[in-house]
Amino acid sequence: YNMPHSFGTRARTRDMFSKKFKQHGLPHLSQYLMNVKVGDYVDIFANPSIHKGMPYKHYHGRTGIVFNLTKTSVGIRVNKPVNGRIIEKRIHVRIEHVRKSKCQKEILARKVSNEEAKANAMKTGVKVNLKRTPLLPKAGYFLQSPGETEITTIQTTPFSDLL
């Protein structure tokens, strides 16, 4: 006899909607006072201690852009892959289930450094390359012989372990 299969909204979320060890309880006040503006990048991260305004499990851990602010909630645009195409979904989630995203941090820092480099290049008249370059292969080198011993090459014997 098989148990009936459940397809509820919180099915298979035992680990997803559970808090870490010693992290239980209600969210801090700073979570409610979080400064969010339209156009900000936010991560949807469901807080299992607050059941109201909780996002559906698919959106947990996704990053979206704020498009609307209400008294208690945040409207977020999230991309969702459906049958090989990407649909932009608009969902409203309570502020408790949202974190500020750090996905733009590196891009913004690079913008600032590029502007500084451009300004310096204009002053000095030196051409500067602002493009990112991939990591180049490491430079080759020769190993030093350990002590005064000569290095001897050992010839392999084929299939010696089978005899």
Side-chain angles (χ1 to χ4, degrees):
Y1 172 70
N2 286 342
M3 293 288 288
H5 192 47
S6 146
F7 291 101
T9 51
R10 288 186 64 155
R12 292 171 290 284
T13 58
R14 181 184 188 149
D15 294 325
M16 188 188 291
F17 291 161
S18 63
K19 288 202 160 189
K20 290 179 185 158
F21 181 60
K22 287 190 174 181
Q23 297 291 317
H24 300 276
L26 296 173
H28 300 292
L29 258 181
S30 59
Q31 180 69 38
Y32 293 98
L33 299 171
M34 188 170 60
N35 189 16
V36 180
K37 297 188 290 291
V38 173
D40 282 359
Y41 280 82
V42 290
D43 297 330
I44 301 165
F45 203 90
N47 187 341
S49 61
I50 307 292
H51 295 171
K52 277 191 169 185
M54 192 184 245
Y56 181 67
K57 64 186 176 188
H58 174 271
Y59 301 106
H60 179 81
R62 309 270 169 170
T63 303
I65 302 169
V66 175
F67 76 90
N68 186 23
L69 295 169
T70 66
K71 183 165 58 86
T72 55
S73 302
V74 179
I76 307 167
R77 293 185 291 130
V78 191
N79 288 335
K80 182 179 182 181
V82 180
N83 294 336
R85 65 195 194 279
I86 294 173
I87 299 175
E88 184 186 77
K89 306 286 274 190
R90 289 173 166 240
I91 61 169
H92 279 81
V93 174
R94 277 208 176 194
I95 195 80
E96 296 97 290
H97 307 293
V98 161
R99 293 178 184 177
K100 279 239 174 147
S101 183
K102 294 174 184 169
C103 66
Q104 294 283 295
K105 199 185 223 176
E106 194 180 331
I107 296 167
L108 295 172
R110 198 162 51 84
K111 254 188 180 177
V112 170
S113 67
N114 281 358
E115 291 303 319
E116 285 175 13
K118 264 193 232 174
N120 288 340
M122 288 288 278
K123 284 179 192 169
T124 57
V126 178
K127 196 171 184 181
V128 66
N129 183 21
L130 300 175
K131 290 182 179 178
R132 292 175 289 171
T133 53
L135 266 173
L136 297 171
K138 292 177 184 174
Y141 60 94
F142 290 100
L143 282 174
Q144 293 296 319
S145 172
E148 295 175 15
T149 58
E150 263 191 44
I151 296 172
T152 56
T153 47
I154 301 168
Q155 296 297 325
T156 57
T157 51
F159 306 115
S160 63
D161 57 337
L162 297 177
L163 298 174

